[in-house]
Amino acid sequence: MTVQYEDLQPLAERVMKRALELGATEASVATSRGSHVTIQRRERQTEQATEATTQGLVLAITKGDRYTSNSTSDLRPKALDSFIQRCVQTADYIEPDEYRRLPDLDQCGRGISEAALDQDDPAWGRRTATERTDHCAQVEEAILALDLPERISTTAYVADGRSEAVQVLSNGFSDRTAGAFFTVGGQTTVAESDKRPEAGAYYAARHLGDLPDPDLIAADVAERVRRRLGSSPTASGQYSMLVENRMAGRILSILSGPMAGSALHHGRSCLNGRLDTKIASDVLTITDDPTIPRGLGSRPWDGSCLVAKPRTMIENGVLKNYHIGLYYSRKLGVQPTGGGRSNWVVKPGDRSFEDIAKELPKAILVTGFLGGNSNSTTGDFSFGIQGLLLENGEVVQSLSEMNVAGNLLTILDNLVEVANDPWTWSTVRSPAMHFANVQFSGRES
């Protein structure tokens, strides 16, 4: 009998009990299983159809002050017993680390009930292969029905999945969670002289009914590919920068590295020592909220099984919290604040993106980031971009072959305004953003 026919809870409890019998001082067991399906169509034919199931177990133990964590996907009883024995034996060869221990039981728990979190859409279990294929075909046909110049190819994509997980700690904590996800999107490539401009649009949600309909997706794809036509670099220099709501998360993600407890402990954070000081303009407020119903980053507890709860990260430009998990909180001598972000919610402004743009004599609207890098120690960053050159809100040129570069703290200080259009199909729920005096490199004047 495989684990697919066995409940995850008693499995996790048996593994924990066995690890303690073999000499572990503390034990944490996470068991999970999941399934996901992907359908991709191109030129009215199914190009890819895959279905995969996964199962796994992670066993983390301490033996005295020695800590080890190991994972396996072989959950047969005999193989598991051998795996547990090796885990406990391995701890004898690990250097002691006094900070690796479980939290107190009163720190653990669920920040929001499973019903309130609302991540497990029953529609996933009812969805058939035919319905998935039909959904993908509807998206493809909606894109093909649009008038686009010299189309080369069109691709449509749908995917969905569901996972279950159980967490059991030897301190007495035990809980389980489950969630589904759905994604949909499309992409089109067109011919333009010797270029092949392409663009796409993708959406993700916890509930199938929260995805946009095929016509909206198709219109989004068409608009984005038309924006790519005639693209070229403009002159290097400083510009007002507008970042689309769906792309704002890429800029804000630069904050994640220097906010992490590991970066703070290792002296690799440009935000070290900046708590309760201004690191951005007054208009920026970010809340980390793991309790948003149907949120893509929502969770009942964090990686250490501590209660997941909303925290203000930046308030009116002032840094209020870091992302410090249990382990690094002990090393730093501070209270844990959650190891890593969940849903980042940027407080929206009062005006629309269009109203902001039309007041700017000249601005670069960033519609996509291409590669690049950022340094959490210095805050410096550099990204390739795609976008549009705007004058008083009107498009005057499509942009490509350009880079944007700067420093995290400088660009956040130059944040002028956020719009009122938060993007909800992401773990970063940000409106469009307007930054002043941003350095772009393109063609030489």
Side-chain angles (χ1 to χ4, degrees):
M1 179 180 294
T2 70
V3 75
Q4 290 178 325
Y5 306 100
E6 183 177 15
D7 189 77
L8 296 175
Q9 185 86 29
L11 172 67
E13 291 172 351
R14 286 199 302 273
V15 171
M16 182 189 69
K17 181 180 178 181
R18 182 61 175 151
L20 296 175
E21 290 173 349
L22 291 171
T25 307
E26 295 181 329
S28 167
V29 183
T31 57
S32 63
R33 62 181 166 221
S35 177
H36 69 268
V37 179
T38 299
I39 304 290
Q40 183 171 301
R41 288 176 58 86
R42 183 173 181 271
E43 301 308 309
R44 293 192 170 98
Q45 294 188 17
T46 300
E47 187 174 56
Q48 180 183 12
T50 62
E51 181 174 7
T53 58
T54 59
Q55 61 181 23
L57 180 145
V58 178
L59 170 62
I61 68 161
T62 56
K63 194 175 182 182
D65 282 340
R66 302 174 191 273
Y67 169 87
T68 181
S69 177
N70 298 273
S71 63
T72 182
S73 58
D74 189 349
L75 305 185
R76 296 171 300 167
K78 185 176 179 179
L80 261 182
D81 193 64
S82 176
F83 167 76
I84 300 166
Q85 291 183 50
R86 292 196 306 273
C87 289
V88 176
Q89 292 167 359
T90 299
D92 293 331
Y93 301 93
I94 305 296
E95 288 295 319
D97 187 345
E98 62 180 310
Y99 302 103
R100 292 286 192 185
R101 61 184 187 277
L102 295 179
D104 295 333
L105 180 57
D106 61 6
Q107 292 180 284
C108 300
R110 178 178 284 274
I112 184 172
S113 71
E114 191 164 11
L117 208 57
D118 197 16
Q119 291 189 300
D120 198 13
D121 185 3
W124 184 86
R126 299 190 297 265
R127 203 175 195 201
T128 67
T130 299
E131 288 172 339
R132 292 181 174 98
T133 302
D134 288 347
H135 188 192
C136 194
Q138 289 166 11
V139 174
E140 182 185 31
E141 290 300 325
I143 299 172
L144 291 172
L146 297 172
D147 181 22
L148 290 174
E150 297 190 54
R151 187 197 322 267
I152 295 176
S153 67
T154 291
T155 301
Y157 166 92
V158 299
D160 56 65
R162 183 181 183 273
S163 62
E164 299 174 314
V166 168
Q167 185 83 50
V168 175
L169 308 185
S170 59
N171 67 2
F173 174 78
S174 177
D175 206 349
R176 62 189 304 158
T177 187
F181 74 87
F182 302 85
T183 61
V184 61
Q187 180 174 301
T188 287
T189 303
V190 298
E192 183 187 22
S193 184
D194 60 343
K195 296 181 179 181
R196 297 294 182 267
E198 64 178 24
Y202 296 88
Y203 300 80
R206 288 290 184 183
H207 278 238
L208 180 61
D210 292 338
L211 293 175
D213 65 40
D215 288 339
L216 189 151
I217 296 167
D220 197 4
V221 172
E223 179 184 6
R224 298 184 75 79
V225 78
R226 289 188 183 108
R227 288 175 173 180
R228 303 292 304 122
L229 299 175
S231 66
S232 62
T234 192
S236 300
Q238 286 192 343
Y239 293 83
S240 292
M241 179 174 75
L242 295 167
V243 182
E244 273 191 323
N245 54 5
R246 74 177 79 195
M247 291 295 140
R250 186 67 184 94
I251 286 289
L252 295 177
S253 68
I254 304 172
L255 278 164
S256 296
M259 277 186 169
S262 57
L264 295 165
H265 178 258
H266 295 300
R268 297 175 180 172
S269 170
C270 61
L271 299 179
N272 207 348
R274 298 298 304 272
L275 204 62
D276 293 321
T277 68
K278 284 187 70 66
I279 65 165
S281 74
D282 293 344
V283 303
L284 184 62
T285 294
I286 301 177
T287 301
D288 184 88
D289 190 352
T291 67
I292 295 174
R294 304 189 182 187
L296 289 170
S298 296
R299 60 194 184 199
W301 59 80
D302 69 11
S304 301
C305 296
L306 304 186
V307 177
K309 55 187 177 182
R311 287 186 171 88
T312 300
M313 307 307 296
I314 297 174
E315 184 175 25
N316 299 328
V318 176
L319 180 64
K320 305 301 291 185
N321 272 300
Y322 298 114
H323 283 303
I324 304 176
L326 183 66
Y327 177 66
Y328 281 105
S329 76
R330 289 169 174 164
K331 302 195 86 170
L332 292 166
V334 298
Q335 290 297 310
T337 55
R341 64 180 174 88
S342 58
N343 302 297
W344 269 15
V345 181
V346 178
K347 183 180 178 181
D350 299 321
R351 299 201 298 163
S352 69
F353 163 80
E354 292 77 12
D355 286 342
I356 295 171
K358 70 183 181 183
E359 291 185 357
L360 301 175
K362 182 173 287 190
I364 289 179
L365 168 62
V366 176
T367 60
F369 289 99
L370 307 172
N373 58 78
S374 60
N375 187 315
S376 63
T377 304
T378 64
D380 293 335
F381 68 88
S382 177
F383 302 117
I385 65 107
Q386 295 175 338
L388 301 169
L389 182 63
L390 307 180
E391 292 183 1
N392 300 116
E394 298 296 325
V395 177
V396 296
Q397 183 183 342
S398 177
L399 300 178
S400 61
E401 302 175 50
M402 296 190 68
N403 290 329
V404 58
N407 182 273
L408 171 65
L409 298 178
T410 301
I411 197 169
L412 291 182
D413 189 53
N414 288 346
L415 178 61
V416 177
E417 189 174 0
V418 295
N420 60 1
D421 58 347
W423 183 257
T424 58
W425 291 285
S426 169
T427 58
V428 180
R429 298 186 169 208
S430 175
M433 310 183 88
H434 168 210
F435 300 88
N437 303 319
V438 179
Q439 183 64 43
F440 288 86
S441 60
R443 63 173 172 78
E444 295 302 318
S445 302

